[in-house]
Amino acid sequence: MAQLNNKRLAEIIKDPGIATDKEVKQIKTYSEEYSFSSFLKVLQARLDHLHDKKEKAKSLTKAAIYIADRSILKDFITKDKLSKAASEDTPVQEE
């Protein structure tokens, strides 16, 4: 399996929704290989959530174990829902 280059990984970190299934698998491999990395656990949980993977509950549980502030984890995992709800509820003000 080809490795992700730094530029592509940075793009996925900024917008996890752009990751392909192949890239999600690669990040899962990184998460297993670098088991000490809480960031990779959180990113994997976000990607599993976005791609509606059957392992999403398991990866979320693992991420929750590795991160100290679970409210940050919740915000990151549900970020797309929060952004969408905020944009729908916020009226546009004209100048």
Side-chain angles (χ1 to χ4, degrees), residues 23-42:
E23 291 167 333
V24 171
K25 287 178 185 176
Q26 184 63 51
I27 290 170
K28 182 177 181 176
T29 301
Y30 291 155
S31 179
E32 292 168 355
E33 187 175 333
Y34 300 101
S35 59
F36 55 86
S37 174
S38 59
F39 175 75
L40 286 172
K41 300 289 186 219
V42 171

Side-chain angles (χ1 to χ4, degrees), residues 18 25 43 95:
I18 66 170
K25 287 178 185 176
L43 182 59
E95 292 183 24

Side-chain angles (χ1 to χ4, degrees), residues 75-91:
D75 290 346
F76 184 67
I77 297 298
T78 61
K79 186 177 181 179
D80 57 333
K81 292 179 184 175
L82 293 175
S83 298
K84 191 174 187 179
S87 65
E88 290 173 357
D89 291 340
T90 306

Side-chain angles (χ1 to χ4, degrees), residues 12-74:
I12 293 170
I13 291 167
K14 287 180 185 175
D15 183 7
I18 66 170
T20 65
D21 283 338
K22 187 176 180 180
E23 291 167 333
V24 171
K25 287 178 185 176
Q26 184 63 51
I27 290 170
K28 182 177 181 176
T29 301
Y30 291 155
S31 179
E32 292 168 355
E33 187 175 333
Y34 300 101
S35 59
F36 55 86
S37 174
S38 59
F39 175 75
L40 286 172
K41 300 289 186 219
V42 171
L43 182 59
Q44 179 187 347
R46 173 82 167 131
L47 292 170
D48 286 350
H49 176 77
L50 288 173
H51 287 258
D52 201 26
K53 298 285 185 184
K54 63 181 180 184
E55 310 91 15
K56 67 182 178 183
K58 185 177 179 180
S59 62
L60 180 59
T61 301
K62 279 187 180 181
I65 291 169
Y66 281 83
I67 192 163
D69 189 345
R70 292 190 181 106
S71 65
I72 293 172
L73 175 62
K74 181 180 181 221

